Amino acid sequence: MKKLFSFFMISALIFGLTACTNSTNNSADSTNDNEPKELTVWVHVPAEDQEGKNYDLRAKEFEEQHKNVKVNVEHIVKTGEGSGYNDRLNAAITTGDLPDVITLESVYTASYVDSDLLLPLNEYLGKDVIDSYLDTIVKAGSVGDDLYALQSFDLSAPVFYNVDLFKAAGIDIPADENGNWTLDLAWSYDEFLKNTRILKEFMGQEPVHMYPDNNGWQMYAHSPIIFSNDAQLVGENGLDTDGYLNSENTMEALNFINTLFREGIVSPTARENAFATEKAAISFEGPWVIDVLTKEYPDLNWSLMPYPYGKKGHNSAPHGSWYVAATKNTKYPELTAELIAHLTNKDSAKAMEEDAGLIPGHKELLASSKTYSEYPRKLMLDQLVETAHVKPTSPIFPVLEDVLGDIIEGIALGSDSVENLVQDAVDKAEREASRFK
């Protein structure tokens, strides 16, 4: 998740390639069941990964259930900032040779839709099928009233904390009657500042670890701090940033983040393994770190805490992953939509929970989830289901992601005032949005 599409690639996809999409291949599904049909699926994960194995297994099942249907899954592994898979995808867009099915970052769905590349799944899938998925998944895969992408699982990044360091510093750990730090006990901005100041005094160094460099991680992991102050980055049309990115609530949230850096609560540079080696007492990390800590640092006494909030009732937290979508190049739209539903079905969700520890993406599986039935992991599920997720559905999402990264990086380095950093970001975003306006 930390390595997202590069801004250049996405900009090229949005602004330069729309006309190249070959929509003439679309036709109604053949009614002749004996006619051989071939569907091609491009995925971004290696065949040996759990997610890769899952796609291969579901494809085989789909072939067994559909006579004369062949499903070819191609594993085009993304590397670095997404090159490899994204390079292949962009090349296919320019030539009009997209496969029937692709995987994509859920946050970029609107960009693909704006380029007229994706098939609306709700035109081919029944309401009962769609309603099976978590609302957060359906919302993330939708643009307007249409659904374009689905997934069998989701992610919600937690905030890690060191139990021993908290206790040694005299920090009172919030807990319900069962001893769990639940979502409703989240710290406010002021409480977070108060307690991290205590930790800094006790530890003699920055007690909080955040990645300050400019990449997609800012939007994924740090934008919820902004959203939790009842703030947005862009208007409902997905294009207007003036009045949103520089609103009073957004500025208030960014000044809170600025205080963390200016007071030495957060380091302006990334510190490798700072939390694992107890050089940081709090860390904003991805959920995959849980397995790392469990396996490689078994003596570390860690737990999970909710994201801090600005305004009561506006709690927010990260979510999102790579989703599965159908392209308009498919000759068999109904069959392809059915394939996507199968690739992301309940069996897929169960497998990804058991094998990769991911949150199952179907409503009826939540109650029986073994991994997410108890704290601290249950906090991630609570964050996913119960908090607000207002990452913008916007055709200029890559631009918003880029300018937010500029702001956070500028704050971390103290390169300019928050006001100037935000104004520069608004000017840049408005220039890009003008192409659509």
Side-chain angles (χ1 to χ4, degrees), residues 91-379:
I93 293 171
T94 62
T95 60
D97 292 327
L98 282 170
D100 301 272
V101 176
I102 60 172
T103 56
L104 52 82
E105 277 275 7
S106 59
V107 290
Y108 293 118
T109 303
S111 300
Y112 281 82
V113 171
D114 187 76
S115 295
D116 199 30
L117 300 176
L118 302 184
L119 190 75
L121 301 176
N122 50 290
E123 294 184 6
Y124 305 97
L125 298 179
K127 186 175 183 297
D128 57 330
V129 174
I130 296 173
D131 286 347
S132 169
Y133 295 84
L134 298 182
D135 292 340
T136 53
I137 290 177
V138 173
K139 183 176 181 180
S142 297
V143 178
D145 295 330
D146 289 320
L147 172 67
Y148 293 94
L150 287 169
Q151 187 51 279
S152 64
F153 59 84
D154 213 330
L155 301 170
S156 180
V159 181
F160 292 79
Y161 74 95
N162 185 305
V163 177
D164 292 338
L165 287 175
F166 268 47
K167 291 181 177 178
I171 304 295
D172 292 328
I173 300 175
D176 65 4
E177 64 275 9
N178 298 314
N180 302 313
W181 195 339
T182 55
L183 188 61
D184 60 313
L185 297 175
W187 280 343
S188 66
Y189 284 177
D190 290 341
E191 290 171 319
F192 191 88
L193 278 172
K194 172 188 172 183
N195 287 294
T196 52
R197 285 165 178 158
I198 294 172
L199 285 165
K200 181 191 175 186
E201 181 70 21
F202 173 75
M203 297 175 66
Q205 59 184 322
E206 299 96 336
V208 178
H209 177 252
M210 298 171 67
Y211 291 98
D213 52 322
N214 186 354
N215 57 37
W217 182 247
Q218 307 299 345
M219 182 65 81
Y220 181 72
H222 301 152
S223 64
I225 299 174
I226 299 170
F227 301 146
S228 74
N229 201 48
D230 193 19
Q232 298 182 24
L233 304 181
V234 68
E236 290 186 6
N237 64 1
L239 297 174
D240 295 329
T241 53
D242 194 8
Y244 297 92
L245 185 54
N246 55 0
S247 72
E248 181 179 346
N249 285 354
T250 304
M251 296 302 295
E252 194 173 77
L254 291 171
N255 278 307
F256 164 70
I257 295 174
N258 185 52
T259 300
L260 297 179
F261 284 99
R262 300 289 75 78
E263 292 194 11
I265 292 169
V266 179
S267 172
T269 57
R271 294 181 293 162
E272 187 174 358
N273 294 327
F275 183 76
T277 56
E278 300 192 89
K279 294 177 182 177
I282 296 174
S283 189
F284 291 78
E285 306 249 19
W288 50 85
V289 174
I290 291 178
D291 286 340
V292 175
L293 297 179
T294 302
K295 295 174 182 177
E296 299 182 19
Y297 301 90
D299 296 328
L300 187 69
N301 189 9
W302 62 271
S303 192
L304 304 179
M305 60 185 285
Y307 261 65
Y309 67 88
K311 298 190 186 303
K312 195 73 174 178
H314 292 278
N315 298 68
S316 185
H319 87 110
S321 60
W322 285 70
Y323 281 23
V324 187
T327 77
K328 286 189 173 181
N329 267 35
T330 183
K331 296 178 180 178
Y332 312 105
E334 185 172 354
L335 187 65
T336 301
E338 186 183 348
L339 172 60
I340 288 176
H342 190 81
L343 291 172
T344 62
N345 65 12
K346 294 172 188 174
D347 288 337
S348 175
K350 291 176 183 176
M352 293 306 293
E353 179 186 4
E354 293 171 0
D355 298 333
L358 299 171
I359 298 175
H362 289 267
K363 296 172 184 175
E364 72 175 56
L365 300 179
L366 296 184
S368 59
S369 172
K370 296 179 181 179
T371 307
Y372 294 94
S373 62
E374 297 180 356
Y375 286 91
R377 282 182 185 256
K378 188 177 184 300
L379 180 62

Side-chain angles (χ1 to χ4, degrees), residues 3-10 12-13 17 42-45 76-94 98 102-105 108 112 322:
K3 297 298 183 183
L4 304 177
F5 281 149
S6 70
F7 172 64
F8 175 79
M9 288 180 175
I10 285 295
L13 184 155
L17 306 176
W42 285 4
V43 300
H44 63 288
V45 289
I76 309 165
V77 182
K78 69 180 181 70
T79 58
E81 292 291 337
S83 59
Y85 179 82
N86 293 337
D87 291 345
R88 178 82 174 273
L89 195 60
N90 287 335
I93 293 171
T94 62
L98 282 170
I102 60 172
T103 56
L104 52 82
E105 277 275 7
Y108 293 118
Y112 281 82
W322 285 70

